[in-house]
Amino acid sequence: MNNASSALKVAAGIFLTIALITIVVILFISAQEATKTAQNNFSDIQTELSQASFTVYDGTSISGSQVTNALRKFRDKDQFGILVKTGKNRNGQWYGNSLYIGNVADDKYGSVIDINNREGDLRNTMNESSNEYVNPSGKFKASIIKDKSNVVRGLVFEQ
């Protein structure tokens, strides 16, 4: 009788151990999925916040002084370019990196043409005799350039 009682206690202990391990594994899997969901949500929020500074330039009309402010603000940003087209310079001038803006359907759209080549001199935007002059009271149509991975790579200001 003593052996049967011991065997039942051992069997109950093994059963409880297996049940406890099963519960821990189920909780771990649930926590892992919740963590993945939280990471994805955090990534989405981070992307939104990083691109929030560009939403003011998405299809809006802005003044020339806002264009020069944007040039000062974003000129040193890596892998980023700003194209300013004025009444004097219809082809435009790049500031920062030049971007490929040919066909929107092309995989290269929005990519930097030459990472090592930074263009544009901000002093020319204030020199009235320069083709790159940006009239502070002029009106410009602003738009955003995004690459294939939906990352903002540049801005275009067209007078």
Side-chain angles (χ1 to χ4, degrees):
M1 186 81 164
N2 204 9
N3 286 340
S5 170
S6 295
L8 281 174
K9 287 180 184 177
V10 170
I14 291 173
F15 176 74
L16 288 174
T17 304
I18 291 172
L20 183 62
I21 290 172
T22 303
I23 291 171
V24 168
V25 168
I26 289 171
L27 289 174
F28 180 74
I29 290 171
S30 297
Q32 200 173 22
E33 289 180 23
T35 303
K36 285 181 187 177
T37 303
Q39 275 182 324
N40 289 340
N41 289 344
F42 182 72
S43 177
D44 292 343
I45 291 168
Q46 190 176 13
T47 303
E48 273 184 49
L49 289 175
S50 70
Q51 295 187 11
S53 60
F54 302 112
T55 55
V56 71
Y57 304 111
D58 194 10
T60 59
S61 289
I62 61 172
S63 69
S65 61
Q66 288 174 302
V67 170
T68 54
N69 287 339
L71 287 170
R72 282 189 210 102
K73 184 176 180 181
F74 301 119
R75 70 177 170 198
D76 295 327
K77 190 170 169 57
D78 287 335
Q79 297 186 13
F80 192 83
I82 301 173
L83 178 62
V84 179
K85 296 180 179 182
T86 63
K88 287 183 176 180
N89 186 3
R90 288 284 171 208
N91 292 329
Q93 172 64 44
W94 283 102
Y95 295 89
N97 295 113
S98 296
L99 304 177
Y100 177 78
I101 56 170
N103 185 359
V104 178
D106 194 342
D107 286 341
K108 294 188 299 183
Y109 184 82
S111 63
V112 176
I113 294 172
D114 184 4
I115 293 174
N116 299 319
N117 186 20
R118 300 196 54 90
E119 297 185 26
D121 185 355
L122 290 182
R123 292 177 292 196
N124 292 340
T125 63
M126 296 175 203
N127 181 0
E128 289 189 48
S129 63
S130 172
N131 281 347
E132 299 171 33
Y133 174 68
V134 176
N135 187 340
S137 59
K139 292 292 177 194
F140 288 81
K141 173 96 168 120
S143 57
I144 295 175
I145 300 171
K146 293 183 179 181
D147 65 7
K148 286 295 172 188
S149 50
N150 208 27
V151 174
V152 175
R153 291 291 183 196
L155 300 170
V156 176
F157 300 113
E158 190 168 356
Q159 195 169 28

